[in-house]
Amino acid sequence: MPAIGIDLGTTYSCVAVVKNGKVEIIANDRGNRVTPSIVSFTENQRLIGDAAKDGASQNYKNTIYQAKRLMGRPYSDDTVQSDIKHWPFEVIDKERKPYFKVQYKNETKTFCPEEIGSMVLTSMRETAEAFIGQKIEEAVITVPAYFTDAQRKATKDAGEIAGLKVLELINEPTAAAIAYGLDQFSEDMRKILIFDLGGGTFDVTVATIKDRVIDVIATGGNTHLGGEDFDNRMAEHCAAIFLKKHGIPIYSNTRAMSKLRRACEHSKRTLSSSTNDNVVVEALAEGIDFSAPITRAKFDDLNSDLFDQTIEVVEKTLLDAKLRVDQIDEIVLVGGSTRLPRIRELLEELFEGKELRRTINPDEAVAHGAAAYASNLCEDVSDGIEQFTIRDVTPLSLGMESCGRDMVTFIPRNTNIPTRVHQDTWTTTKDHQTSILFKVFEGERAATKDNNILGSFVINDIPPEPRGVPKFSISFDIDASGILTVHAYQRSTGLQNSITIENDKGRLDAIMINRMKAEAEVFKQADEEWKAQSQARHKLEDYVYAVKKSIRSRKFVARYSEEERQKILKKCSDSLNWLEIHTNAAKGEIEAWRKDIKREYDRYQLL
Ligand code: AMP
């Protein structure tokens, strides 16, 4: 059974598979090679991808996008709070996790980001199944290199809810490196820099490729920098123009701002190929239309500090990799926002005119690499591609708090993973201490208050002894997906504990995952019922129109009276009226109507 590679993107997702030794990017049922990561809920159905995007402006309160930005984050997280302000749909606090609140089938429903992610993943899986003609159960899913432990686990949960066994999570830029490297394997070592600027996140990775081994040596980035930030800057600029022209502030009008942002995103794309455009929104607020010219120069100026930030991150990552710009052989561009001319100019300036590589479509490179890697991991390699190895690194330092304030680093950032670090000297700080709280952090700062807490656990009932006497072995384990397990153990007493799934923030427990899996099944059934209803409706409509046509025919008119014709016509229009009113009618009811007309019609035919 083949395994697929899925790029679960903030704005778009992409799926690929290896077939006959070649990576195939799979188009969805609309023929598109990328699918919007959007899910919408209506009175009678759930839509995913292009269909959800199409109806977004009419159903903006129930159309969820960018759910990935909330994955694995608590509700109180600053980024969650600032995102919520921009969105036209509601996000609520449910047991400290953010949940999307929507109206679905005339009921209020709440979904966590993992569930929305799982719906997108399910749709990607179905796209792949339709292409391969086989059920798919295994996948490699990609995540931004800067995703924290909790965000990685949330992504894995989303995969599980979608009924997929996640073979491994790999970093998006690493996947792009694989895609690039597949046809570049050589005995000479090549040093590449992957610049991945997407809709919501930015990653920089420096890697080497030699003898079918891809070695990531440093990563950098910003989990909150991407195309949407550029759209927001432009939308705010346009809102200021609207205020100046009409005296109407629209900053807190979520509907108007989301319409404006969509128009700005559109103009932004245009500005990548032409130097000026118009931002146009009909009835932006209070029925007033908006139209304003925008130039590429103005757009670049509005975003200049954000663009500069990307270059600073490149410089910092090169420093971490201990490489100069002239030592980089290739720069690989990934993510839709690398189409921005100013970004390319800045990179060319930095790399002194070196050509930027875009051999693989920047929207597809990540899924491409993920599929190649999935085929590498898959047991059935008959269809696969030549084996290769990747060695990734951890993007942030990981450590433990000591003395209630200091960060003690166990695994420095940019350490190759999987890895295991072990220390035997952890001890108590007070005399007769009988319990220790182990707090695990990630980050580069010396004080734990400036780093990000990942979780904590306690060991109790320690026999009282002077401080510094009890000894604990601490191990930090990072698996190939970048997921961390910390374990503490006192050899003399056998006492031990580790970070468990339940007390790790943002992690769903097994019961929740099972419940959501069951719900996903229910949705699948509902979606299928909906499709069956639609088919029945079309069949009835087609039939009625065919009957209407036939009774207008010369043959029919010659044979039957006007009264008889009217009788059938009435049945036809009754059924069409009934269809119009009963938008949610069950398949059985619809079929009953069709049979009814058929019976009537057949009677005349037989006369
Ligand atoms: P990704 O997350 O890689 O799918 O990238 C999506 C982001 O790329 C979105 O913010 C898009 O607006 C942006 N994008 C796509 N095409 C273009 C383009 N031609 N010019 C500028 N930005 C683009």
Side-chain angles (χ1 to χ4, degrees):
M1 189 193 305
I4 50 174
I6 304 178
D7 168 13
L8 178 63
T10 311
T11 38
Y12 287 94
S13 295
C14 185
V15 60
V17 71
V18 173
K19 204 175 169 191
N20 304 326
K22 218 176 129 242
V23 177
E24 300 270 4
I25 302 287
I26 309 170
N28 63 23
D29 55 359
R30 295 254 187 120
N32 298 327
R33 289 157 74 91
V34 293
T35 299
S37 307
I38 302 180
V39 180
S40 78
F41 300 88
T42 75
E43 253 174 40
N44 36 39
Q45 63 178 324
R46 178 185 62 158
L47 300 167
I48 302 169
D50 292 301
K53 192 174 185 188
D54 289 347
S57 57
Q58 291 89 43
N59 186 27
Y60 60 95
K61 283 193 172 159
N62 304 305
T63 301
I64 309 300
Y65 53 83
Q66 296 176 7
K68 181 174 169 182
R69 281 173 97 117
L70 303 196
M71 285 252 223
R73 292 180 188 272
Y75 182 80
S76 57
D77 190 300
D78 285 349
T79 56
V80 174
Q81 289 307 309
S82 82
D83 279 345
I84 291 174
K85 279 192 217 121
H86 283 129
W87 286 334
F89 45 82
E90 201 177 341
V91 179
I92 58 161
D93 180 358
K94 205 166 156 183
E95 290 158 17
R96 297 194 299 278
K97 264 175 70 90
Y99 272 73
F100 302 99
K101 187 171 164 192
V102 295
Q103 290 299 312
Y104 177 39
K105 295 195 165 181
N106 300 318
E107 272 180 53
T108 302
K109 283 260 176 195
T110 56
F111 298 102
C112 67
E114 292 89 322
E115 281 177 287
I116 301 293
S118 80
M119 293 171 194
V120 176
L121 288 172
T122 302
S123 139
M124 303 315 287
R125 190 187 67 184
E126 286 170 358
T127 294
E129 285 175 344
F131 174 77
I132 304 171
Q134 218 177 319
K135 212 167 158 40
I136 286 165
E137 281 163 5
E138 294 179 330
V140 164
I141 303 176
T142 60
V143 286
Y146 254 68
F147 250 25
T148 62
D149 200 46
Q151 288 170 303
R152 284 169 198 270
K153 283 178 175 156
T155 308
K156 242 185 171 168
D157 288 346
E160 275 181 48
I161 298 166
L164 283 167
K165 180 178 168 208
V166 182
L167 293 173
E168 228 171 80
L169 297 175
I170 57 170
N171 290 338
E172 287 162 12
T174 310
I178 297 171
Y180 163 79
L182 285 177
D183 55 353
Q184 299 287 326
F185 289 117
S186 73
E187 283 170 19
D188 298 333
M189 179 184 285
R190 300 191 63 72
K191 299 184 190 74
I192 62 170
L193 181 134
I194 297 131
F195 183 96
D196 179 356
L197 187 60
T201 55
F202 171 51
D203 279 308
V204 176
T205 299
V206 178
T208 59
I209 302 181
K210 185 175 185 281
D211 293 335
R212 307 199 71 75
V213 177
I214 299 171
D215 241 317
V216 176
I217 46 181
T219 65
N222 182 340
T223 40
H224 245 75
L225 181 61
E228 280 120 29
D229 298 293
F230 313 144
D231 305 341
N232 282 338
R233 285 281 171 92
M234 202 163 152
E236 275 162 25
H237 164 72
C238 293
I241 296 176
F242 194 74
L243 176 64
K244 224 186 265 172
K245 267 194 190 163
H246 305 288
I248 304 168
I250 57 163
Y251 300 99
S252 51
N253 178 343
T254 42
R255 177 155 200 213
M257 283 307 283
S258 86
K259 268 172 139 182
L260 192 53
R261 259 193 301 278
R262 254 195 311 279
C264 286
E265 201 254 354
H266 194 264
S267 277
K268 173 186 74 175
R269 288 173 185 248
T270 308
L271 290 177
S272 287
S273 50
S274 65
T275 51
N276 52 340
D277 190 41
N278 273 312
V279 182
V280 180
V281 184
E282 267 178 46
L284 177 59
E286 297 182 22
I288 304 170
D289 295 344
F290 176 79
S291 171
I294 179 120
T295 60
R296 186 190 290 170
K298 181 70 198 175
F299 173 79
D300 290 347
D301 184 59
L302 287 169
N303 288 296
S304 65
D305 59 319
L306 299 178
F307 292 169
D308 288 345
Q309 271 181 38
T310 65
I311 298 301
E312 281 160 26
V313 172
V314 171
E315 287 174 327
K316 197 167 156 285
T317 313
L318 282 173
L319 212 63
D320 278 349
K322 300 188 180 65
L323 289 173
R324 296 185 311 273
V325 286
D326 60 291
Q327 290 174 298
I328 294 292
D329 297 304
E330 302 269 3
I331 300 115
V332 181
L333 299 184
V334 182
S337 300
T338 57
R339 292 201 173 90
L340 290 168
R342 183 64 191 145
I343 290 286
R344 295 212 221 142
E345 263 169 38
L346 287 171
L347 278 170
E348 272 164 7
E349 261 169 42
L350 179 70
F351 287 96
E352 291 151 5
K354 191 165 284 161
E355 200 195 333
L356 309 174
R357 282 287 291 232
R358 297 173 54 105
T359 34
I360 298 175
N361 187 329
D363 305 322
E364 298 171 359
V366 170
H368 191 115
Y373 194 56
S375 110
N376 236 252
L377 295 177
C378 214
E379 278 168 23
D380 171 19
V381 290
S382 55
D383 226 15
I385 46 179
E386 227 183 296
Q387 297 285 297
F388 57 87
T389 310
I390 56 169
R391 290 199 289 244
D392 217 323
V393 295
T394 161
L396 292 167
S397 299
L398 297 157
M400 194 96 94
E401 185 177 75
S402 136
C403 306
R405 56 192 293 275
D406 299 325
M407 172 85 169
V408 175
T409 298
F410 276 70
I411 300 178
R413 77 163 189 271
N414 291 328
T415 300
N416 273 115
I417 59 167
T419 188
R420 183 160 200 272
V421 173
H422 183 256
Q423 223 191 64
D424 278 327
T425 52
W426 205 265
T427 185
T428 49
T429 51
K430 291 192 193 92
D431 285 341
H432 313 302
Q433 199 174 322
T434 55
S435 79
I436 300 187
L437 173 64
F438 296 89
K439 285 165 103 176
V440 182
F441 285 82
E442 64 183 358
E444 310 312 312
R445 308 286 296 275
T448 47
K449 71 177 173 45
D450 298 320
N451 289 333
N452 180 31
I453 185 157
L454 290 175
S456 61
F457 59 94
V458 180
I459 291 190
N460 289 317
D461 304 324
I462 302 167
E465 280 183 283
R467 68 190 286 261
V469 174
K471 291 282 183 294
F472 291 86
S473 301
I474 310 287
S475 69
F476 273 59
D477 262 293
I478 306 183
D479 71 10
S481 293
I483 290 175
L484 170 73
T485 307
V486 179
H487 184 253
Y489 173 64
Q490 187 177 29
R491 196 180 299 271
S492 59
T493 57
L495 290 169
Q496 59 180 311
N497 204 350
S498 58
I499 286 192
T500 58
I501 293 165
E502 282 76 22
N503 67 16
D504 190 2
K505 76 173 177 184
R507 174 74 163 146
L508 297 169
D509 62 31
I511 299 167
M512 282 279 272
I513 290 181
N514 282 336
R515 183 179 66 71
M516 288 174 182
K517 263 174 131 168
E519 274 186 11
E521 269 309 304
V522 171
F523 287 137
K524 194 172 164 203
Q525 210 179 327
D527 290 348
E528 269 159 20
E529 274 168 22
W530 176 260
K531 278 185 209 152
Q533 276 176 27
S534 301
Q535 273 168 5
R537 291 179 80 85
H538 291 147
K539 220 164 141 187
L540 173 57
E541 269 178 14
D542 288 350
Y543 188 71
V544 169
Y545 288 117
V547 168
K548 281 175 91 173
K549 194 172 158 202
S550 125
I551 59 177
R552 275 198 307 267
S553 72
R554 226 176 256 251
K555 215 166 102 196
F556 204 99
V557 174
R559 260 175 97 179
Y560 302 108
S561 70
E562 177 62 19
E563 194 187 333
E564 283 159 331
R565 273 172 13 101
Q566 286 305 330
K567 217 166 144 192
I568 306 178
L569 266 180
K570 168 127 188 4
K571 201 104 227 158
C572 288
S573 55
D574 281 354
S575 69
L576 290 176
N577 288 340
W578 180 85
L579 263 185
E580 213 168 81
I581 298 163
H582 297 87
T583 46
N584 215 2
K587 181 183 165 192
E589 286 178 281
I590 303 168
E591 279 178 349
W593 269 95
R594 198 172 63 88
K595 280 190 192 135
D596 206 23
I597 301 176
K598 189 166 183 314
R599 213 177 301 122
E600 187 88 6
Y601 180 63
D602 285 350
R603 203 151 61 87
Y604 285 98
Q605 293 286 293
L606 296 172
L607 282 176

